[in-house]
Amino acid sequence: MKLNIALLAGDGIGPEVIEQAVKVSNAIAKKFNHEITWTAALTGACAIDAVGEPYPDETHEICMAADAVLFGAIGHPRYDNDPKAKVRPEQGLLKMRQKLGLYANVRPTFTFPSLIDNSPLKRERIEGTDIIILRELTGGIYFGARGRLDDGNTAFDTCTYTRAEVQRLAKLGFEMALTRSKKLCCVDKANVLETSRLWRETVQDMEKDYPEVTVSYEFVDAVAMRLVQWPNSYDVLITENLFGDILTDEASVISGSMGLMPSASVGIHTSLYEPIHGSYPQAAGKDIANPLATVLSAAMMFEDAFGLKEEAELIREVVNKSLAEGVVTEDLAGKNKAYKTSEVGDWLAKNI
Ligand code: IPM
Ligand code: MN
């Protein structure tokens, strides 16, 4: 099969972790007789430096022409403490989500048998955890009107949702629940927010079309609590953009390292696969960052974008093997030898 993939390495550790995912993907392509064409493009702070724009038109065209986008991370500390910066790397990510129509962010959280004791949570609470948070990604407060009033002394951000936006996200949630344990949780703040009441009303209306799915409605504050108490009581959760941003970071610690969790963003145009961690600038260029979240994002890409399940399974299998055999970066090594980012990538490719 011919796979045409746009490669957006981005900033910080992005290029290093992406390099390992490329090694692994190329090893898969060789083994299964696929032909991958990688087209690299700029995004984030490196794109601002090069062309003054965090998601240049040229990058967008490359993404639109590709079958899938593999993305590293963006962000640079130079912008974080400068509230007055006119362009920010993160704007590139938001623009990319909007222009590619990536309205759903699929973030799985699962545990690795060999890493259960790395989690800050107790073994008995997290064993068997396998949840998917489906975060709405192109609406809500991230994209609503914002500004300053009162000579800059008052600020506002607005959260808006349309019924259609909720429906398309919820539809994916119902469909995903059908392929799993048929439990769907709609996370909102319907006791306070009007947008949440629209979410609840819309999802309730859709229940009749999916009689096999059991839907629960829970407030986001309660979910935040239960997620670390009894994560395995959940299966598929759907929620709006900002709640999803916060809950998915919270959920990522269940597995024991943020360096492990992959994600997919899907919607109208080309789907995008990326680790959920950020650009980790302190580690950039040091060859110490954990590449597994990016490698597992490539596995999601093989399975979801190309329907290549066996290839995806093999990637997951070698990742599990590397964890079991302690071929891991410093975040997971404990007192044992820590491998370099590139060594982990080489080991995975070799084992494929
Ligand atoms: C994420 C990130 C982004 C978000 C930032 C970098 C804009 O935190 O992908 O979760 O808030 O969506
Ligand atoms: Mn986030």
Side-chain angles (χ1 to χ4, degrees):
M1 186 173 180
K2 282 191 163 44
L3 318 180
N4 174 13
I5 305 171
L7 199 58
L8 273 52
D11 306 319
I13 57 167
E16 296 159 58
V17 292
I18 280 284
E19 198 184 316
Q20 313 319 314
V22 168
K23 277 180 201 167
V24 168
S25 303
N26 285 339
I28 287 285
K30 197 165 164 207
K31 185 175 171 73
F32 291 87
N33 262 318
H34 300 302
E35 193 186 312
I36 306 183
T37 308
W38 301 101
T39 311
L42 290 174
T43 184
C46 62
I48 299 179
D49 292 343
V51 296
E53 204 337 328
Y55 184 60
D57 290 344
E58 194 195 334
T59 299
H60 182 59
E61 277 155 33
I62 289 172
C63 292
M64 287 295 284
D67 302 318
V69 180
L70 190 61
F71 179 74
I74 60 174
H76 194 286
R78 143 169 114 242
Y79 299 91
D80 291 347
N81 296 317
D82 177 8
K84 297 217 158 76
K86 290 233 153 38
V87 278
R88 307 177 163 276
E90 289 79 4
Q91 286 164 345
L93 190 56
L94 300 181
K95 198 167 157 195
M96 176 163 71
R97 288 172 182 168
Q98 198 168 36
K99 289 184 77 171
L100 291 174
L102 303 172
Y103 59 78
N105 186 217
V106 187
R107 293 193 176 185
T109 288
F110 45 87
T111 51
F112 298 84
S114 55
L115 288 184
I116 292 255
D117 297 316
N118 275 51
S119 172
L121 303 181
K122 292 195 184 81
R123 167 182 282 272
E124 64 270 24
R125 303 235 166 200
I126 60 167
E127 245 166 1
T129 295
D130 177 13
I131 60 187
I132 291 189
I133 301 181
L134 208 55
R135 165 187 173 192
E136 201 290 328
L137 205 56
T138 52
I141 204 162
Y142 272 65
F143 292 93
R146 62 172 55 95
R148 295 278 180 120
L149 303 165
D150 179 26
D151 286 336
N153 294 311
T154 301
F156 64 94
D157 296 277
T158 40
C159 180
T160 308
Y161 270 107
T162 64
R163 194 179 296 276
E165 283 174 319
V166 180
Q167 274 165 343
R168 65 183 181 182
L169 192 275
K171 181 168 183 281
L172 287 182
F174 275 108
E175 284 165 2
M176 210 167 263
L178 277 177
T179 67
R180 296 168 51 94
S181 74
K182 304 187 173 55
K183 273 196 319 198
L184 182 68
C185 177
C186 174
V187 184
D188 61 34
K189 188 72 187 170
N191 49 348
V192 178
L193 302 176
E194 198 54 40
T195 41
S196 284
R197 290 193 272 270
L198 176 69
W199 269 73
R200 207 171 264 220
E201 184 185 302
T202 307
V203 176
Q204 278 168 349
D205 282 347
M206 292 171 77
E207 277 190 47
K208 62 176 182 323
D209 302 326
Y210 302 90
E212 284 167 72
V213 178
T214 308
V215 188
S216 64
Y217 298 86
E218 295 179 33
F219 298 140
V220 61
D221 45 355
V223 173
M225 198 166 61
R226 216 172 103 195
L227 207 49
V228 287
Q229 280 182 311
W230 302 113
N232 56 23
S233 64
Y234 290 111
D235 185 29
V236 180
L237 299 98
I238 51 173
T239 193
E240 64 92 54
N241 206 341
L242 182 60
F243 296 161
D245 179 47
I246 299 166
L247 291 181
T248 52
D249 266 26
E250 186 192 0
S252 76
V253 303
I254 295 171
S255 70
S257 170
M258 236 210 170
L260 292 168
M261 288 297 132
S263 81
S265 298
V266 302
I268 300 168
H269 303 293
T270 322
S271 300
L272 177 138
Y273 300 83
E274 63 171 310
I276 80 150
H277 60 67
S279 59
Y280 191 16
Q282 306 87 318
K286 294 191 181 152
D287 204 16
I288 56 171
N290 188 340
L292 295 185
T294 315
V295 169
L296 291 170
S297 301
M300 273 180 106
M301 174 183 77
F302 277 105
E303 180 161 2
D304 300 346
F306 300 112
L308 301 173
K309 203 171 160 64
E310 207 184 320
E311 286 78 343
E313 276 307 312
L314 182 58
I315 296 178
R316 295 186 188 116
E317 211 176 284
V318 290
V319 164
N320 273 321
K321 193 167 168 218
S322 75
L323 293 172
E325 295 189 15
V327 184
V328 294
T329 42
E330 62 172 31
D331 53 312
L332 296 175
K335 293 193 192 72
N336 301 322
K337 171 184 167 165
Y339 285 75
K340 295 283 179 197
T341 311
S342 55
E343 291 173 331
V344 173
D346 291 339
W347 191 93
L348 295 171
K350 195 177 101 217
N351 277 269
I352 283 167

